[in-house]
Amino acid sequence: MRGDKVEDKYLVFEKYIEQYSERLSRLCCNLCRNYADADDLFQDTWFKAMKNFDKYDKTRDFGKWLFAVCVNTYKNTRYKADNRRQINFDTTEEKDIFLSSLPDTAVSNEKYDELIEVIRELPDKYRMIIALRYFNDHSEKDVAQIMRIPVGTVKSRLSKARQLIRRKLLL
């Protein structure tokens, strides 16, 4: 009987992997400044989610829980320290993969690249909010739940981030 429960757990988890892998990959790419670290964060997040799946409250949205695991893994690991340096791609293909994970925009490629570079240079607390809100399409309320901060803090950080971005783009 116990074996059936374990097997059911893996089947449920497998469905979550199919459903959330693309969005999680996008978040990892937006948090990390290189493809290798984004891939490591992606793997570490799924590992921690699987390891702690029994602690997941099934009455809550799995996606929000998973993204909270990802953000916390990012905050508590070497990715944060590694990513203080300038972004470097090993190949053009790696850069294209990263840029293709970002949403389409009406601005020119040159301006868009400049915008992405400015966002990459933001302090973590602003970059994480921008990544969750604009690149992963979460509402401000969802971002607050994922990051475990008040909605008002999300709004003020979004405002400050937009202000910093405008200031750097106008220089």
Side-chain angles (χ1 to χ4, degrees), residues 37-49:
D37 284 348
D39 190 46
D40 288 346
L41 177 60
F42 178 85
Q43 295 297 326
D44 288 348
T45 300
W46 279 120
F47 175 75
K48 286 184 179 183

Side-chain angles (χ1 to χ4, degrees), residues 27-39 41 74 79-90 94 98 116-128:
L27 176 60
C28 293
C29 285
N30 287 310
L31 291 176
C32 295
R33 293 190 176 138
N34 68 60
Y35 187 71
D37 284 348
D39 190 46
L41 177 60
Y74 172 79
Y79 308 115
K80 186 174 177 180
D82 286 353
N83 291 316
R84 292 193 194 282
R85 66 187 188 282
Q86 196 72 343
I87 183 159
N88 293 313
F89 295 101
D90 293 332
E94 195 174 279
F98 175 80
I116 297 305
E117 194 59 40
V118 168
I119 290 170
R120 287 182 195 135
E121 293 172 1
L122 290 173
D124 280 347
K125 69 181 183 178
Y126 300 123
R127 194 164 36 87
M128 283 189 278

Side-chain angles (χ1 to χ4, degrees), residues 95-106:
K95 179 181 179 186
D96 292 342
I97 291 169
F98 175 80
L99 292 176
S100 71
S101 75
L102 302 175
D104 291 334
T105 182

Side-chain angles (χ1 to χ4, degrees), residues 97-161:
I97 291 169
F98 175 80
L99 292 176
S100 71
S101 75
L102 302 175
D104 291 334
T105 182
V107 298
S108 69
N109 259 356
E110 184 179 304
K111 285 287 187 184
Y112 190 62
D113 288 346
E114 184 181 353
L115 172 64
I116 297 305
E117 194 59 40
V118 168
I119 290 170
R120 287 182 195 135
E121 293 172 1
L122 290 173
D124 280 347
K125 69 181 183 178
Y126 300 123
R127 194 164 36 87
M128 283 189 278
I129 296 281
I130 293 287
L132 288 167
R133 178 68 179 100
Y134 296 113
F135 295 130
N136 288 280
D137 297 323
H138 287 289
S139 68
E140 291 169 350
K141 182 180 175 186
D142 291 346
V143 173
Q145 289 176 343
I146 290 168
M147 296 201 58
R148 297 183 183 151
I149 58 176
V151 174
T153 303
V154 171
K155 289 179 180 182
S156 68
R157 287 182 185 176
L158 280 171
S159 176
K160 179 67 175 179

